[in-house]
Structures are given as C-alpha cells and as structure tokens.
Amino acid sequence: MPEQKISILTASLAVESRTAPIPEPSAKQVQIAVKSVGVCGSDIHYWEHGRIGPYVVEDDLILGHEASGVVTSVGSEVTRVAVGDRVAIEPGVPCGHCHECRVGRYNLCPDVQFFATPPVNGAFAEYVVIDENFAHAVPDSMSFDEAALIEPLSVGVWACKKANVAPGARVLVTGAGPVGILCAKVARASGAVEVTLTDVNIERLKAAESMGFTVHKSGVDSPLPEKSFTAVIECSGNIHAINTAIRAAAPASVVVLVGMAAHGNVTVPIDVIQGRELWVTGTFRYAHTYPTAIGLVSSGAVVISDLVSATYGLDSAEQALGHAHKHPEDLKVIVRVS
Amino acid sequence: MPEQKISILTASLAVESRTAPIPEPSAKQVQIAVKSVGVCGSDIHYWEHGRIGPYVVEDDLILGHEASGVVTSVGSEVTRVAVGDRVAIEPGVPCGHCHECRVGRYNLCPDVQFFATPPVNGAFAEYVVIDENFAHAVPDSMSFDEAALIEPLSVGVWACKKANVAPGARVLVTGAGPVGILCAKVARASGAVEVTLTDVNIERLKAAESMGFTVHKSGVDSPLPEKSFTAVIECSGNIHAINTAIRAAAPASVVVLVGMAAHGNVTVPIDVIQGRELWVTGTFRYAHTYPTAIGLVSSGAVVISDLVSATYGLDSAEQALGHAHKHPEDLKVIVRVS
Amino acid sequence: MPEQKISILTASLAVESRTAPIPEPSAKQVQIAVKSVGVCGSDIHYWEHGRIGPYVVEDDLILGHEASGVVTSVGSEVTRVAVGDRVAIEPGVPCGHCHECRVGRYNLCPDVQFFATPPVNGAFAEYVVIDENFAHAVPDSMSFDEAALIEPLSVGVWACKKANVAPGARVLVTGAGPVGILCAKVARASGAVEVTLTDVNIERLKAAESMGFTVHKSGVDSPLPEKSFTAVIECSGNIHAINTAIRAAAPASVVVLVGMAAHGNVTVPIDVIQGRELWVTGTFRYAHTYPTAIGLVSSGAVVISDLVSATYGLDSAEQALGHAHKHPEDLKVIVRVS
Amino acid sequence: MPEQKISILTASLAVESRTAPIPEPSAKQVQIAVKSVGVCGSDIHYWEHGRIGPYVVEDDLILGHEASGVVTSVGSEVTRVAVGDRVAIEPGVPCGHCHECRVGRYNLCPDVQFFATPPVNGAFAEYVVIDENFAHAVPDSMSFDEAALIEPLSVGVWACKKANVAPGARVLVTGAGPVGILCAKVARASGAVEVTLTDVNIERLKAAESMGFTVHKSGVDSPLPEKSFTAVIECSGNIHAINTAIRAAAPASVVVLVGMAAHGNVTVPIDVIQGRELWVTGTFRYAHTYPTAIGLVSSGAVVISDLVSATYGLDSAEQALGHAHKHPEDLKVIVRVS
C-alpha cells in the first residue's frame, strides 16, 4: 500500500510529520496531489487551544482546509474532472439529501464533512480525496497559491452577497485580517464606490491602505459617522466592532457578522436594529461560491496574490502555524506541499 | 372660530377634557370628524411615564393614534377623498422629499409627523386634519372600531411581510397582546399552516386559543423545540422572549423584533444567528400597509372585531387608559368620540 | 414473482388492462400501493395525440401522475417513511447532482424522471416505487383523493409563489380549469383580497363563482381594465388570454405563464412589458411545494375535495380519460385503484 | 428679461437657433448653465420622424436630455445644491405623489416631466431649471462631458440591476451601441466574469473589442450556445436579437429588454421562457441611479470618456444630430453649449 507524508496535530497539540496510506477515491471522488495550503486562523486556534467551540481535537487531526492541487486519479463514476486537472478544493462536502441540501443551502447541512474540523482530516498531506463536485478546475493562469486562496475568497464572496453589495454601495468592513481584506476586495469588484476597513492593528491598516482602501484606526480615529454605510461586514468578532458595525449601518441595510466572537452571547443595540429596520445576519462558511471566486481571480477583477506573505514546506507546517500566529500583519502564510 | 372638545395629557401627566379650535385642512389635507380611537400601549406609557425613549411629554399632548372617522372638509387640492367618506387614518405623515421617502421607505423618514408623539398631537379629539394620502377610505361594511384597528393591524401586516410569512410557513409569535394577536391573524391569512403564540399571561393565551392558535405558556410549558419555526415575530420586548425567538428559528429564516425592550441593548446569541444564517431585523411602524390591512378585513380574511373589549366616551379617555392599563387581557379598549 | 394489474397506453394509443411484475424498491425507494390517481390534461393529450411537444409515446406507457397511496415496503436505507404511511406521491425525481439540483431548482433538472412522461411510467397501476424523499406523508384527516390532488395543487402553490401573491394582492387568473381554480384557491389562501377568474366556458365560470371567486367571461364581458391586477397567472395557454393577462398587469408586477400554448412562439406586447417594467415568467412543474400544499389542505386554508367530479376503477381508466375529455367543466376525474 | 440662446426643433422638423427668456427657478428648483449635452438616438428619431410612439412633436421642442452644467441660481427652498455646484442633470421629474412615486418606482410615474419629450423642452439651451433633487453634484475630477453621460450610464446601471448582474455573472448584451456598451461596462464593474456583446455593425464590435469585451457578429459568427449566459440585456430592439437573447439565457435567469422594437408586438418563444422559468422584463428609463452612476465613474470602476467621438457647439446642434445619425459607430456625439 503506497504511503504519503502528512503533518498531523496530536491530541496533545503537537504537530508531527508522519507517513500514512495514500487515500483512494471512491466512485464519485477524485484523488488530488496537494500543492498549496493556506494557514487559517482556525488552524492556529486548534493548534493553540485544541478546540473551536463544540469541535474538540480528541484524536490526531490533519489541519489545513484552504487547498489546491492536481488531480491524480478519479473514481469510476467521475465525469466532470480529469486526471491532470489543476483544482481548487472546496473543503466541505454536504450530505446532498437533507432539507438544507435540497433547497440549495448546503453550507447549513448538519452532516457536512469539512476538512480539518474534528474528526475530519484536512489537507496538510501529499494526497487528499474529495467528491468530484468539490474539486473545481482552475485555469493555467492561476497559481496554486491563488487556487488555495479561493477558499477564504469564497468567504468574501458569500459575505458580500449576503450584504447586498452592489454597484454604488458604500461598504464598511470591520477587521482588516485576511478575511476582511478579501471581503473588501470582493466589495470593490462588485461595484462598491467606497470601501472602508477598520482595525486596531496599524500594520494591517497599512496593508489595506496600500491596496487602495480607506482605513480607520478603531478607538483612535474619530468615530465613524452613524448610518453612513449601505452595507456592513463584520470580520473581527470583537464586541466593540460589532456594535460599531451596527451603528454605522444606513437605514434598511444589512450587517453581516462573519467574525466569530469569543463568546456566543453578545450585547447589541436592538433599538438601532429596530429604529432603522436593519437586517443583522451571519455567515456560516459559503455555498456555490467557488465558480464565482475563481472567475473573479481569473478575470483580474480581484487580485489575491498580494496576500501571500510567507511560504513553508509540508515538513515545516508547525513553523507555518507559528509564523501566522506571531505575525497577524502577514496576511496569509502558505504551506507548499510539493 | 368654531371649537371642539379634546382630551389632553398635560406635562404633569393628568388627562383633562378641554375645548380647542377645530383645525382647518390646508390645500392637500382633509378634515375628519373622529369616530373611534383605539388605546395603544404607547398611549398608556406616555400617560404613566411621560416619555418613550427619546420622546418626552414636555407640553400638553393629545394622545391617540389608532383612529377612524368621516371626512367633513377637504383642502383645495384634494382629489382622492371626498366629504362624507368613511376613513381609516394613517397617523404618520412623512416629509415626502428625503432619501427614505423617495425610495419608498417612508416609515424611516426622519421628519415624519406621527400622531400622539411629542410634540405632534393625536386623535383624542372631535376633529383632526391629515394629508389626503393618509386618509384611507373604507367600505360601509367596516365599522368605525374596525377602521381604527387598521392601525395596529398594519403593524401585523408589516411584521409578516418582513418575516416572509408565506403559504406553508410555521410561525412563532412571542407575546400575545393585541399586536401579537394581530400578527398571528395576518400570518394565518398569509397561508401559514401553523401559528403558535407564547405569553406568560394565561388570560391572553386563552383568548389566543379561542381564536384558533396554538399557545405556549412561557417558562411553564416545555421549551419550544429549536429550529422549528420558519418565521418568528417577537412582540413582547422581553429579553427572554427575544432569545427564545432566535433559538426557535429555522435555518436561514427571519426573526422580526416588533416589541420594544425596556433597554435598547440586549444580549443575543450571535453564534446561533451565524451558525444558522438567520436574519434578525426589526420594525419601525409600517409603510404602504393600509390598503392591504383594509382589504384583509373587508374580504373577511382577517377578523378584528373580536379584539374590542371595552368602549368609553371622549370625556372618559382617562378611564379608557386606566382600563387598558389594568386589564392587559382585554385586548383593545376603544374611545368612541361621537 | 408477484404480479399486479396495470392500465397501459399502447403506441397505437389504445388503453389496455394488463398484468405486470410488482416493482421492488431499491435502497432509497419505497413501494406504494396506489389508492387514487387524478386524470390530468396531459394524460388526455397523450391518449388523444400520442405526444406533448418533444415527448412522444413510442412504446407502451402507464399514464397518471397525480397519485396517492399507502407505503407497503421500504428499501434498506429508507429513514423518513415507514410501511403503512399514507402518502402523496411527488411524481418527478431529479438527479440530485446537477447544477440545478444543487442550487435548489430541482424542477429544472435536465435528467428528472417524471411519471407518465415517455419513457417513464406513471401511476395507473396497483403499485409504484419512488425515492423516499418524494413520498410525502399526509395526515389521516386527508382523503386519498385529496392526497392525489396535492400534485395539481403544487402547480398552484408554485405559480402563486412566482407571482408574488401576498396579503393585499389583487390577482387575475386566466383559465378556470382545474389548474386555474387551484391557483385561485392558493391565491386566496395567500391573502389576496381580490381574485378574478376568466374563461370562455360558462360552466367552469359557474363553478368558480360558486367557490367565491369573481368571474369574467372572456370576449363577452367588457374588457378587463388595464393595469388593475398586482399579480397575474395565465392558465389557459390561449394566445388572446396571454395578451389579456399582460395588459391587465399593474406596473412592476409579475405575469406567470402556466398554461402551455399550442405553439411555442407567441406574439406579446413587449412595449407593455417595457413601459410598465413587468416581469413575465413561466412555470415548469414545481419544487419544494408538497409540504406547503399538504399543509394548506390539512389546515383547512384550501379546500380541494370540491374539485372531484367523478371516479372510476383502474379497469375503467379509459372511461375516466374519456369522461375528463368530454366534460371539461368537471374539474377533476379520479381513478380509484383500490 | 434676460435672454439665452436655444436650439429648437420645429413642428416641420427643422432645427433652428433662436433666443428665448432665461427660465427662473421656482422655490425648489435650481437654474443651471448647461455645459455638455449628449446626442441620444431618441433626439435623432424626433428630428427624423417627428415622433416616438405616442409622443409627437406638434409644436416647437428643445431636444437634448443627457446634460450637465453649473448651478447659477437656486430657489428659495433649495437646501441640497448651491450656486457654483457642477451637476449632472437627471432629466425626468416625477410628480412625487402618485402610487408609483410613493413606493419608490418614480420612473413609472404617469405624470413624469421628461426633458425633450413632447411637450417638455430639453437641454439644447444655455439655461435650464430643474427640481433640486434632480441636479446631482459631481466631483471636480469629472468632466462635463462625463457628467452628461451619467444619463445613458444610468440606463446601464438600471438594466444591470434588473438583470441581477452580480459577481460571477456571465452576461450577454445584444446591441453594441452606446447603451449596450454602457450596460457592458456596468456589468463588468459589477463583477461579471464574462461579458459578450453582439451586433451586426463591425465598427461597433471593434470598439467593443478594444474595450476588452468578447464580441460576436450576429448572423455571421456561429450561433451563441443556448442557456449559456446568467444575465441577458437586449439593447438593439431587433426582433432576431430578442429571440437570440431569450435562447441564450440560462435557466431561471433574467432577460432585460432595453431596446425599443419598431413594433410593440413581438413574437417570442414562450416555451423557452416556461421550460427554463426565465424572467423577461423591460426597462423604462431608471430610478435612483444617478448617485451610483456618478460613484462608478468617480471611483474609476467605469470609464466613459472613451465614448465621446465628436463635439459640436450649440449653434451646430443640427450638425451634431446629423453626425450621430450618419455614424452609428461613433458612440457618442456631444453638444458643448459653453
């Protein structure tokens, strides 16, 4: 049985390089030789804390869910993808049969299998398998790093869609980390005529400013004017930012909560929500976003290569996690598997 | 100058019967001889506390904004309403020129003039004037009491619209006061196949049950199952009910906050909002609802006459307020002006 | 191998009673003993003409797709339905994997298998099998005839949804056959305050009138006023009716074309569509409507038992087709299989 | 009484230079010194044929409705615009009181007063007056020619909005005249990942290609694949193009008819509309689009200066009309008034 190299998080939260059998695709799956994997805040959180909310690392877990690669083998019933295809991997495969799946909201499927979410393994490995519908071909013009970042870009596509970002929008994004930056980039590509990013981290604001966005240092610059943004996307999970986000929203506009707060219960000004008839919602991953995200990068409407700040090999996955943890101003650290 | 009788709330929160000049309509206004006026919780609140949030009774104020009557005179440019028309009075007249007005959201007009909201007088009077577009003709088959209740029924029409109540909906309404009951009635008339009302007041629940709704005694009956309602309308303003409402909402559904909480800041489970991608919104009055509300009563789709529990004359307006205050289980007290 | 009785349409368009093996359910299917089957215009059309557009009866075909029954056996992976359940059968099973299925529009699946559409057999048989997700349990209070009519009622639910029929709507339905009547009934249950049906058949109009709808005899009564309906549903397929429907639509409203015209190309007033910014759309079957349709009948919001005009046994299926063909004023003929 | 120069179309369809009194603004109006006016196909049509559908040139008429200028005087109640402001003029002023105005669809106001539409005069004049809400300030960075072209750009903004053009869209625009090109530019700025323009005019296609769009020569290139575009905008008014547009639309997508056909009645494939559940609609001018259009040009998301092909003085308005008539490949001819 052929073996591959993997990087694994143990239950004692150590990261180890090991070997493991190469997974074989079932009838509707494809096998992919992994090329690039982005490090996400959730990977760091599992490594540091061993859990995210109800998801607990009780056994060995392969991290990494922002991944790209090349198809190396396909199952007997696969029709949409071929060996040799370069693909962006959509890391959550829903059941396909429940009510949420049938109405088209597969991200809310209660039985979704999502990479690097206990007990489902992720992509810090030489090979992964996935249902063919979740291996999205990308053009040759797209790098594997970019193809890996289609995953966080999908978060931005989904958030902008929920927020009704459309031509003419004035958009506020609170939190200038990678997700906030990607939301801002999608907003601009959607016709937003003004995009403002807030953060407390001056390095992140500098990066945002260099990308052409208006920036606002939370708690230092004068408060954002009330009711001034027609779409608001909250990406920090910070309680103050959530309240700022709601107060900055124009009447009848949408406030999308993307960032996860440390505690699920948060105090919000419902008198403002009522008095302006705001729509406060949240995102849980995304659905049907990969073709759009791939198209936005391919067409040049969104540039994402400028997020990559550092790269490591698969054997150095722990260093990659450590780098991302220590340098939040480095927007995206990539593990290049091969 | 002809005089009329009015009932007025003084700055010291006494209710007095007085006389005052009969108002004359301007070019686009109509003069209406008031017939019936419903007592609303907000009237009681002003009478008891002298304020609602930022609105303070600093001067004499005529209460009452749920009103009907007969047109007695029309301005020189009035074309839609004629003397003798029986009308339901829509009590908030927006500016007509601001951004909110122009996009069709006139309830969010910052310059709206709303009856019985300081410093704008209400309808506990023999005569009122209003812009012709806000005097809605009702058929002869509709009583003046019913025509007055078109106002709170409008709240229900607006809430159900925001909540996407449509055929097949399973609707939860928290709070079985007059607004909750009217929301439930509109929900049923919108094709909801299940409508559940919650309250702590057993008398209100009995009334709701007699109208054919499923009822649930908050804190006594076993908790409502999570994710079980496809539309949720919160009408109590109670913090526990707000949280119950959010937890009972099915994935991707809308939770509409109609009831005003005692404090504007409320702690809510945003992890639930995010994990289910709920839409939490609120209502501020209503817009374009009068023709619909009148049509629902005229067609028989909604019965509202069963809400009227007691009636008083204009001279007894304070007793009417007192009755409504002491007997929350009496859904609607009416002041019959003439 | 156990045998059952079936009624079959031969390629020479004769209807014959035969025996055939009883179908066995696969892992996710259920086997159903058929109880009631409604005769649809499409059944009559296949019987009379041997084809509907691109669908041609080239081989034996079992007709009937409006069906109900009792579950008699379930496949090994079935979890939602149990033996003994009384069910309404949703007769079109999509592939579940294509783009349309994944976004929730399974009625547009190009690979749907639909009862009584060549070469897929229908329900004029003692037993059928179907995917468990398409066997919808109904309460004991619902008759098997009613459960069979959930199928055409679904057409009405889907049409009203597309037409944005909501509380306050003024709805025009052109064509007072069974589908038009069911659209009208759903419209009323959705809060429409005015529902008008047109037809040339005076018997159908009498039936519609007896159900409480406003009726209009096309070509005899004075023309319907332009722009007077806020939602329009065309159920006749008649070219004049299509034009009447468009002209009667209020600005910015939706015109839903449900009836199939004899020829696919129809001349329409696009200047009216443009000048009023109408939305002209059509329906192709329905999606996600069964739970709603079942709920509307169960709750009493829609009565459908009054459509049943005549019943026949399975051996008399051809008489049932003949009856329905000769008596269009008889809204629904049912084949009672057992 | 001060006089100004105007260019006027007489009832005998001659264009003459004359003098006329300078109009004074009423209380809520502003007076504007006109700077640039674009020549529109409708101007040419009035000049050539004396009518467009029901609108007939029965008296002298000043043409021109794509206009910009500088505010020279304001009425007593004007608050939003000041003398000296550089403005784009929105040429249609609705009544503000009818149902369509109140619900926010002011473009469908039956009493709208629209520049250069008999009997309302247009902007081929040194001065015009207009309601302050329809004089939109533009930044100094925007030229007067660009500010004039905000009008046709608004048509593109409105069409893309109706067509649901959003990130990831694959858009077909039939007709590569100025309106088609502007629709295509807005589509790209809205995140469309593919924009194809069709025309029969090779010069127009060359211009479109030079702007980065995919082009398709109607009737020469192989037919467009069926179902391949997720949004379709028809800008030619050509019957063949209308049918091509419908057939090219993906399931459940929108087809927006912007171009006016020579005859109001057009034969369309309703079997395709039904079988794919398409939404066919049209546009009548636009509403609430000026701020968005100005923002798109100001932010650089849309470049419109490349449409200007030739300029003339006010005294040469007839030559400007003649130029535009003879050279359809010249996308936009401008009359520079001062």
Side-chain angles (χ1 to χ4, degrees), chain B residues 62-328:
Chain B
I62 302 178
L63 293 174
H65 64 268
E66 303 175 1
S68 63
V70 174
V71 175
T72 44
S73 168
V74 300
S76 57
E77 297 175 19
V78 166
T79 61
R80 298 188 185 156
V81 192
V83 170
D85 280 1
R86 306 167 77 253
V87 294
I89 301 172
E90 184 173 350
V93 179
C95 80
H97 300 293
C98 70
H99 176 72
E100 300 305 324
C101 282
R102 275 182 287 133
V103 298
R105 298 187 296 244
Y106 66 74
N107 58 317
L108 301 182
C109 169
D111 296 322
V112 65
Q113 301 288 302
F114 202 93
F115 273 30
T117 305
V120 182
N121 278 321
F124 282 171
E126 288 184 304
Y127 292 92
V128 297
V129 292
I130 201 154
D131 181 286
E132 69 163 330
N133 283 316
F134 295 81
H136 301 269
V138 299
D140 289 347
S141 60
M142 189 181 293
S143 74
F144 286 116
D145 286 359
E146 288 173 315
L149 297 186
I150 294 299
E151 204 280 339
L153 183 58
S154 277
V155 176
V157 169
W158 192 238
C160 284
K161 179 173 179 165
K162 294 251 166 199
N164 289 337
V165 179
R170 301 187 307 275
V171 181
L172 174 66
V173 179
T174 50
V179 167
I181 292 284
L182 288 169
C183 287
K185 288 184 174 229
V186 176
R188 189 162 54 190
S190 306
V193 295
E194 183 187 320
V195 183
T196 296
L197 277 151
T198 70
D199 208 304
V200 293
N201 182 320
I202 193 72
E203 296 301 321
R204 286 183 158 184
L205 292 179
K206 277 184 190 167
E209 202 164 25
S210 74
M211 292 166 178
F213 299 112
T214 302
V215 297
H216 181 274
K217 190 158 190 336
S218 309
V220 174
D221 294 339
S222 54
L224 290 166
E226 297 250 326
K227 302 190 186 186
S228 50
F229 293 94
T230 64
V232 179
I233 303 174
E234 204 299 299
C235 297
S236 73
N238 178 278
I239 294 177
H240 298 297
I242 292 170
N243 276 266
T244 293
I246 291 171
R247 292 188 179 281
S253 65
V254 177
V255 177
V256 180
L257 305 175
V258 178
M260 295 181 70
H263 298 283
N265 290 303
V266 174
T267 302
V268 298
I270 70 159
D271 54 348
V272 173
I273 296 170
Q274 292 178 305
R276 294 185 204 164
E277 296 195 341
L278 301 180
W279 298 88
V280 176
T281 189
T283 57
F284 186 73
R285 295 164 182 162
Y286 41 75
H288 310 294
T289 49
Y290 265 63
T292 294
I294 292 169
L296 288 174
V297 174
S298 302
S299 73
V302 169
V303 172
I304 53 175
S305 54
D306 55 0
L307 268 76
V308 179
S309 311
T311 64
Y312 290 83
L314 180 57
D315 290 336
S316 310
E318 188 156 24
Q319 287 95 310
L321 290 163
H323 182 136
H325 183 45
K326 280 182 215 151
H327 297 286

Side-chain angles (χ1 to χ4, degrees), chain D residues 249-263:
Chain D
S253 64
V254 177
V255 177
V256 180
L257 306 176
V258 178
M260 293 180 71
H263 298 285

